[in-house]
Every structure is written in structure tokens, then in C-alpha cells.
């Protein structure tokens, strides 16, 4: 029986000849990732269990990004726990503020994650790595602690869902719109416990940035992982970054799928997810008059340089509506530097936007743009749950960088076509 | 593993931001996390519940973030177990990994009310409502049962039983 790419990656990290959905396996991990919120718990668990040295200091990755640069004393303490551990264990991939960024944008950029890898991260958006043809799944801190000790993770092999995308993307439609549309179609548990494998003719038109955005949000449909078959675009992205060998895999023609979801991309317009779930999607022509207080462009979903370029294109020579705040957060230090060099930051500043150093910040209601009672924001992030970005009565509308930028100028939800 | 407690009902898609908002993630202290459990879903939750009470929820309980602070908060506030129509996968792992008993029952939710007493037999995997109806849980994987019995993943590893 054939295997899907997800099954092949999992299998290659065990001593088994083949794996199939439903099997409980213990798999070796290539990367075990933690951040300033989840790693401190993992470190405490690791020590409590008598752990003295991690299974492989090259394979543990620690990134302060959620509340870093430290937002307050408590977060400073958490970051210190992680920093001290990184020093003590001589962790190769510890990224300090100033070279770091948001983990899921940073690791691919730095060539830390490569195609064929098995990545577990104590962060739910660790599914982002599927864009590279790797297996990435979010786990908890205890899983991370166990992986620190054993280098392994227990996992039930997921069934795969094939998402077939065909057709051409309309103007201003991006990977964000495609994934929002898909989540709107299948629901927030539409892929629960499963792998979402993206295929079809449209994939050839998707940049790596689009693919990262899409793989990033599969967790919003409940999926274990999302995955793209690596192609020339993937190879062009990784070949200059990789410092070790990698594996380009494909699904077998006779691989078995749980289901196939067919998506006609031609008909998709830019999407907005209304609060309080990422599945409450509407086409931009259907949103009505939603007056906004804030717009956020950033996060592991849409804070990449490509996203900033689109936003700058729309904001150039324009101003943010006087009743609104626009917050732009490049996802990594390298992306921030590029944005400065390319003149994007100038455009943002001239438009009256605030530009921040890389951080998760407002995405999880941490800091840098918290919402007051009743305020509304459009955001390029991935979750619009109640209270996610501030007060429980605030509202989050998820959209692409193009919509977030245009809306900042319009003062309400709207598209670049209206400018 | 048996429990009897009062039911607190929650609906579908109870996300981790509702269970414990990110503003409390600057700590992993169970007392602080427990003290703010469910704050954005029901601000009075913590003051209303008693130790040993049971959460009965709809589908996709615990969706969203990987924060283990969510099961920590639920455990710390004194909830004995969570029964849902289904669980989001990271929450599901986390609960077993850190020893919060959880069970899947697609049918129970529609047949109980807030405040009802519920009896749970975690070993035989069923719940009994006040009218005596029995709702069997979705069968647990033997490995999950081992994790639950051992009290979590680290305890399980310490026993040297990871396959
Ligand atoms: S940017 Fe938001 S979703 Fe991404 S890792 Fe940070 S907090 Fe999580």
C-alpha cells in the first residue's frame, strides 16, 4: 500500500518499514522547538525528571518571541529561564532578541528546518514547516520536555486529506485568502487530527510566502500538520540556506486519503474571517460597513518581507485614516533589515504607521497594540477568538496584508480596489 | 478512577484563549492560572465551581494554542475531568501528558444540564446522568490509558515504559 508524504516522513523517523493512519509510533525528531512561554515549563519538567543534558544540542531550538523584547518583569524572568538553559546546554540554535524574530518565520529563513524533517514545536503554529515539505506539528511543553530527554515523540499517524486547488488567483488574492476560504468551507475542526496535503495546479503559482501562510493556518482547521510536496520553488528557497542534506519526498500514486476537497480558486475573492472564529469567512465584497480602530500587519502568518512589500505598495503616498492605528511588525530581524533597505519602512512611517521590532506582540494579546472594550481590528494574524488581542468585547477580523493595508487607509474593512 | 461532581457546560470550539487568556502566560504558577480559568468565557466561573466538579463541553474543546497553561488551569481550579464531544489535538495530548483526565462522549452533552450531578467511571469509560442513563465514552487507545494511569508522560517515561 502506498504512503502519503506525511506517512513517509513519519516512517523515515522510525525503524518501521511502513506506517499507516491510526498507528501509534515513537518518532525521532529533527527539531524540538520552544519559545519564551512554553520552554520554561518544559525546562522545569526536564529538570524535575532528572534531565541533565538534552538529547542533541543541535536539534533543540529556542526562540524568545512571544513577550520579547521582554514586556514586563514576569516575561523577563521567563526569557531568562530559557536563555540560561540555552547557555548551560550550549544550544546551537538559540536566537537572542536582535537576531531573532517570530519562530515560524525565523527557522525556515535560517535554514534550520528543511524538507523531509520531523519538527515538533511547543507552539501550535509549528505546522508552518509543512510548506517546505517537512512534517511540523504543535505539541505541549511536556512533549517538549520528553523530547529534550529522549529525542522522540509519541504520535498517532494521521489520516491525510487531499486539498486540490485549481484555477488562477484573482487580483489581490493570496495564500491567506485561500486558506481562510478553505477553513471557512471545512470548519475549525474540519481537519481534526488529520494531515492536510495541498496539491493541484494552483500550487505552481504560490510563492513560498503563500505556502508558509497556508501551512501556518491548518491548525485553525484542527489539523495535525499541513504539507506541500516540495517542487522547484521549494528547492530554490532551501538550496541557499541549507547547511545539511535534506529529503524531497512525494506521495505515492496509490496512497490512501481520508477525503478529497476540491477548491476552485478562480472564484475566490479576498477573504475576511469575522469574529470569533477563523471559519466565519466572507468575501470582501460581502463584509458591509465595518468601521475599524486598528490594523495589524505581522505575525508568523503574514509578517514576511513579501507581505510587507504588498502592504507598502498599497500604502505608498497614502495615509492611515485619522481615527485608526496601523501597526506593522516584520517577522524577523532579517526581514526588518530588508524592509529598511528596500524603503518599505519609510513608506510605512510616512503613512503614519507604527513599525515595531519583530515580536508576536499583539497577535496573542501580549503587548504592542492591545484592544480596548469594543474596539475592532483587522489583522493579518491567524486567530480571532474572543479576547485574543485584548478585551473580551473587542473584535478581530482576519485578512491578508493587502486587505489590512487598504482597510487602514479606508478606515473600515475594504479592498485595495476601493482606493 | 471515579468521579462524582456537578456539571459545568460549555459549548463548541472552546479555545485556549477562553480557557486561559494569554495575558496570564507570563507565569506557569498553577494557582494564578487556576484563579483565572475561563475568565473570558464566564468571568464568575472560578468563584462558582467547587473542587471535583466536571466540565461537559461540545466539539473541538481546547482548540487554538499549544499552551499547557490551559490544562494546568483547569486542573488547578479543581475540575476533576473534562468530557467533550471531541477535543482539539494539542489539548488532547497535553491533558494526557500532564495528567488531566479527559473523555470523549458525543452524546452526553445534549442530555445534561448545567448544575446536574454526574458520575464518571474512568476505568470502565462511561458516565451516568441523574436519571440513570449511561453514556459510554469513545474507547481510549491503550497507550492513552497507560498515560492516564501513570499520571502523565514524564511519570510514564520515568517508569521506562515508552514503547
Ligand atoms: S505570531 Fe502569533 S500565532 Fe505566531 S507564534 Fe507568535 S503568537 Fe503564535
Amino acid at each position: 500500500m502506498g504512503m502519503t508524504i506525511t506517512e513517509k516522513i513519519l516512517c523515515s523517523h522510525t525503524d518501521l518499514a511502513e506506517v499507516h493512519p491510526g498507528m501509534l509510533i515513537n518518532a525521532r525528531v529533527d527539531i524540538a522547538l520552544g519559545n519564551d512561554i512554553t520552554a520554561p515549563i518544559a525546562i522545569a519538567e526536564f529538570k524535575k525528571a532528572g534531565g541533565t543534558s538534552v538529547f542533541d544540542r543541535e536539534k533543540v531550538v529556542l526562540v524568545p518571541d512571544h513577550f520579547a523584547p521582554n514586556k514586563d518583569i514576569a516575561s523577563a524572568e521567563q526569557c531568562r529561564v530559557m536563555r540560561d538553559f540555552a547557555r548551560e546546554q550550549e544550544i546551537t540554535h538559540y536566537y537572542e532578541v536582535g537576531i531573532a524574530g517570530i519562530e515560524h518565520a525565523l527557522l525556515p529563513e535560517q535554514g534550520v528546518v528543511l524538507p523531509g524533517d520531523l519538527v515538533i514545536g511547543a507552539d501550535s503554529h509549528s505546522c508552518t514547516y509543512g510548506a517546505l515539505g517537512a512534517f511540523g506539528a504543535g505539541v505541549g511543553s511536556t512533549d517538549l520536555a520528553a523530547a529534550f530527554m529522549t529525542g522522540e515523540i509519541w504520535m498517532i499517524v494521521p489520516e491525510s486529506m487531499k486539498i486540490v486547488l485549481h484555477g488562477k488567483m484573482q487580483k489581490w488574492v493570496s495564500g491567506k485568502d485561500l486558506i481562510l476560504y478553505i477553513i471557512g468551507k471545512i470548519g475549525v475542526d474540519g481537519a481534526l487530527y488529520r494531515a492536510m496535503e495541498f496539491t493541484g495546479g494552483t500550487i505552481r503559482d504560490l510563492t513560498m510566502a503563500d505556502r508558509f501562510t497556508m501551512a501556518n493556518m491548518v491548525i485553525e482547521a484542527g489539523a495535525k500538520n499541513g504539507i506541500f510536496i516540495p517542487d522547484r520553488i521549494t528547492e530554490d528557497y532551501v538550496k541557499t540556506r541549507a547547511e545539511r542534506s535534506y529529503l524531497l519526498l512525494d506521495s505515492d500514486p496509490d496512497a490512501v486519503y481520508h477525503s478529497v476537497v476540491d477548491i476552485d480558486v478562480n472564484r475566490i475573492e479576498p477573504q475576511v474571517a469575522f469574529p470569533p472564529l477563523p471559519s466565519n469567512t466572507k468575501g470582501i465584497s460581502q463584509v458591509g460597513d465595518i468601521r475599524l480602530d486598528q490594523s495589524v500587519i505581522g505575525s508568523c502568518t503574514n509578517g514576511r518581507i513579501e507581505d510587507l512589500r504588498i502592504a507598502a505598495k498599497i500604502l505608498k503616498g497614502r495615509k492611515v485614516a485619522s481615527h485608526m492605528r496601523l501597526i506593522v511588525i516584520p517577522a524577523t530581524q532579517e526581514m526588518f533589515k530588508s524592509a529598511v533597505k528596500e524603503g518599505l519602512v519609510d513608506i510605512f512611517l510616512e503613512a503614519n504607521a507604527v513599525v515595531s521590532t519583530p515580536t508576536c506582540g499583539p497577535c496573542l494579546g501580549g503587548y504592542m497594540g492591545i484592544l480596548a472594550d469594543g474596539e475592532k481590528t483587522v489583522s493579518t494574524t491567524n486567530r480571532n477568538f474572543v479576547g485574543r488581542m485584548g478585551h473580551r468585547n473587542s473584535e478581530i477580523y482576519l485578512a491578508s496584508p493587502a486587505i489590512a493595508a487598504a482597510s487602514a487607509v479606508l478606515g473600515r474593512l475594504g479592498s485595495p480596489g476601493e482606493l | 478512577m471515579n468521579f462524582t461532581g456537578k456539571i459545568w457546560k460549555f459549548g463548541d470550539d472552546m479555545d485556549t484563549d477562553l480557557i486561559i487568556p494569554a495575558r496570564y502566560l507570563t507565569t506557569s504558577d498553577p494557582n494564578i492560572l487556576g484563579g483565572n480559568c475561563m475568565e473570558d468565557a464566564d468571568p464568575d466561573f472560578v468563584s462558582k465551581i467547587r473542587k471535583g466538579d466536571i466540565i461537559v463541553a461540545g466539539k473541538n474543546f481546547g482548540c487554538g494554542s499549544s499552551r499547557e497553561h490551559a490544562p494546568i488551569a483547569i486542573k488547578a481550579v479543581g475540575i476533576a475531568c473534562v468530557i467533550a464531544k471531541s477535543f482539539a489535538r494539542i489539548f488532547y495530548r497535553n491533558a494526557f501528558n500532564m495528567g488531566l483526565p479527559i473523555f470523549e462522549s458525543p452524546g452526553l452533552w445534549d442530555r445534561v444540564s448545567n448544575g446536574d450531578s454526574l458520575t464518571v467511571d474512568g476505568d470502565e469509560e462511561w458516565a451516568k446522568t441523574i436519571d440513570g442513563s449511561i453514556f459510554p465514552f469513545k474507547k481510549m487507545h491503550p497507550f492513552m490509558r497507560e498515560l492516564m494511569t501513570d499520571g502523565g508522560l514524564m511519570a510514564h517515561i520515568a517508569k521506562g515504559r515508552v514503547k
Side-chain angles (χ1 to χ4, degrees):
Chain A
M1 191 157 77
M3 289 196 281
T4 66
I5 178 170
T6 294
E7 293 157 12
K8 283 185 188 175
I9 296 174
L10 292 177
C11 186
S12 68
H13 289 78
T14 67
D15 298 325
L16 303 164
E18 48 182 53
V19 303
H20 295 293
M23 277 173 69
L24 181 98
I25 58 168
N26 239 35
R28 295 181 288 274
V29 306
D30 296 306
I31 299 292
L33 164 72
N35 59 48
D36 51 319
I37 290 179
T38 58
I41 299 181
I43 292 164
E45 284 294 318
F46 174 79
K47 298 212 156 146
K48 206 167 85 193
T52 50
S53 62
V54 296
F55 78 108
D56 187 337
R57 67 186 191 90
E58 302 271 340
K59 293 182 176 174
V60 171
V61 181
L62 298 171
V63 187
D65 55 0
H66 280 63
F67 296 151
N70 311 337
K71 84 174 174 89
D72 55 16
I73 295 169
S75 57
E77 297 294 346
Q78 292 196 146
C79 287
R80 184 166 64 186
V81 167
M82 192 165 76
R83 183 182 305 114
D84 287 350
F85 184 73
R87 287 196 184 136
E88 164 201 312
Q89 297 287 324
E90 300 178 337
I91 301 298
T92 322
H93 301 294
Y94 169 72
Y95 295 90
E96 191 53 86
V97 166
I99 51 170
I102 302 171
E103 52 201 284
H104 311 305
L106 182 72
L107 270 54
E109 174 200 86
Q110 296 296 318
V112 174
V113 174
L114 297 171
D117 280 356
L118 194 158
V119 183
I120 57 139
D123 188 278
S124 58
H125 292 97
S126 303
C127 47
T128 310
Y129 309 111
L132 293 164
F135 177 92
V139 298
S141 293
T142 303
D143 282 312
L144 186 63
F148 283 173
M149 298 196 74
T150 63
E152 294 186 342
I153 181 87
W154 70 264
M155 188 159 292
I156 293 175
V157 178
E159 293 183 298
S160 291
M161 268 171 99
K162 193 189 270 195
I163 316 289
V164 188
L165 298 137
H166 50 85
K168 282 259 166 255
M169 289 191 284
Q170 290 182 26
K171 195 166 166 61
W172 302 117
V173 168
S174 65
K176 180 61 161 286
D177 304 293
L178 301 185
I179 191 66
L180 284 177
Y181 180 85
I182 293 166
I183 296 165
K185 196 175 157 93
I186 67 174
V188 285
D189 62 350
L192 192 63
Y193 299 116
R194 302 193 196 108
M196 286 170 78
E197 183 177 317
F198 298 99
T199 64
T202 310
I203 305 294
R204 285 192 299 272
D205 302 332
L206 297 175
T207 62
M208 280 312 297
D210 284 319
R211 298 179 192 190
F212 284 123
T213 304
M214 292 175 71
N216 176 269
M217 285 194 74
V218 299
I219 178 73
E220 264 55 72
K224 180 170 279 184
N225 66 310
I227 200 154
F228 288 77
I229 310 292
D231 59 9
R232 183 175 302 247
I233 294 169
T234 325
E235 271 200 271
D236 285 345
Y237 182 87
V238 293
K239 72 182 175 215
T240 52
R241 304 165 198 265
E243 285 171 3
R244 57 186 169 88
S245 61
Y246 50 88
L247 207 55
L248 303 170
L249 294 166
D250 198 349
S251 292
D252 290 329
D254 59 341
V256 179
Y257 291 86
H258 166 275
S259 51
V260 179
V261 181
D262 212 56
I263 306 286
D264 179 2
V265 171
N266 294 308
R267 296 169 35 198
I268 299 176
E269 58 167 333
Q271 301 285 303
V272 178
F274 277 48
L277 288 174
S279 55
N280 288 343
T281 51
K282 288 184 187 176
I284 189 70
S285 63
Q286 305 300 313
V287 297
D289 187 17
I290 306 281
R291 201 178 150 87
L292 299 165
D293 301 289
Q294 183 170 292
S295 173
V296 174
I297 299 174
S299 84
C300 60
T301 315
N302 280 121
R304 295 185 179 77
I305 188 68
E306 293 85 346
D307 301 313
L308 303 179
R309 285 181 193 135
I310 291 169
K313 195 164 151 186
I314 293 162
L315 290 163
K316 187 163 187 182
R318 298 193 166 102
K319 297 277 184 212
V320 173
S322 56
H323 69 277
M324 271 190 78
R325 298 98 59 178
L326 169 61
I327 300 168
V328 181
I329 310 180
T332 69
Q333 187 80 359
E334 287 305 316
M335 292 167 191
F336 197 2
K337 283 196 235 169
S338 302
V340 172
K341 281 193 203 122
E342 293 177 25
L344 311 183
V345 169
D346 277 340
I347 294 172
F348 298 142
L349 295 177
E350 283 307 316
N352 295 343
V354 167
V355 183
S356 158
T357 194
T359 178
C360 293
C363 171
L364 80 162
Y367 65 128
M368 287 287 304
I370 304 303
L371 300 169
D373 189 352
E375 286 193 327
K376 294 184 170 72
T377 192
V378 60
S379 180
T380 68
T381 54
N382 46 41
R383 288 189 176 135
N384 52 355
F385 299 152
V386 170
R388 171 79 178 177
M389 294 176 76
H391 195 280
R392 64 192 291 246
N393 296 330
S394 59
E395 292 183 359
I396 306 162
Y397 296 81
L398 303 177
S400 68
I403 297 296
S407 300
V409 176
L410 292 163
R412 58 171 169 81
L413 274 182
S415 78
E418 298 177 63
L419 293 170
Chain B
M1 198 173 284
N2 297 309
F3 315 99
T4 299
K6 200 162 125 180
I7 292 175
W8 296 97
K9 266 181 98 172
F10 290 94
D12 292 340
D13 306 313
M14 279 290 298
D15 63 75
T16 49
D17 283 279
L18 287 173
I19 299 170
I20 185 74
R23 54 184 174 274
Y24 298 114
L25 301 188
T26 51
T27 179
S28 50
D29 180 340
N31 291 323
I32 301 174
L33 297 174
N36 296 286
C37 186
M38 299 291 182
E39 185 174 280
D40 285 354
D42 176 358
D44 302 324
F45 180 72
V46 172
S47 58
K48 290 190 300 200
I49 78 147
R50 262 182 312 193
K51 197 169 161 45
D53 284 356
I54 293 167
I55 289 178
V56 177
K59 69 177 180 66
N60 204 24
F61 185 85
C63 60
S65 145
S66 68
R67 62 189 70 157
E68 226 158 77
H69 310 66
I72 292 174
I74 293 173
K75 216 175 142 178
V77 75
I79 291 292
C81 67
V82 183
I83 305 166
K85 290 184 183 173
S86 64
F87 290 92
R89 61 162 287 274
I90 307 179
F91 183 90
Y92 186 81
R93 296 184 70 91
N94 287 348
F96 282 96
N97 281 345
M98 52 148 310
L100 169 71
I102 62 170
F103 306 98
E104 277 181 88
S105 167
L108 180 68
W109 194 89
D110 299 297
R111 301 283 301 278
V112 293
S113 305
N114 227 2
D116 285 0
S117 173
L118 189 75
T119 304
V120 173
D121 187 323
D123 303 315
E124 296 298 320
E125 304 191 31
W126 51 255
K128 189 160 81 182
T129 59
I130 36 174
D131 65 4
S133 316
I134 299 232
F135 290 84
F137 298 141
K138 214 172 132 191
K139 203 101 198 93
M140 202 179 285
H141 193 288
F143 174 70
M144 311 309 294
R145 156 99 20 229
E146 276 177 40
L147 284 181
M148 196 183 277
T149 317
D150 290 349
L153 181 63
M154 296 313 272
H156 183 75
I157 289 176
K159 278 181 141 178
R161 278 167 54 187
V162 156
K163 285 180 285 271

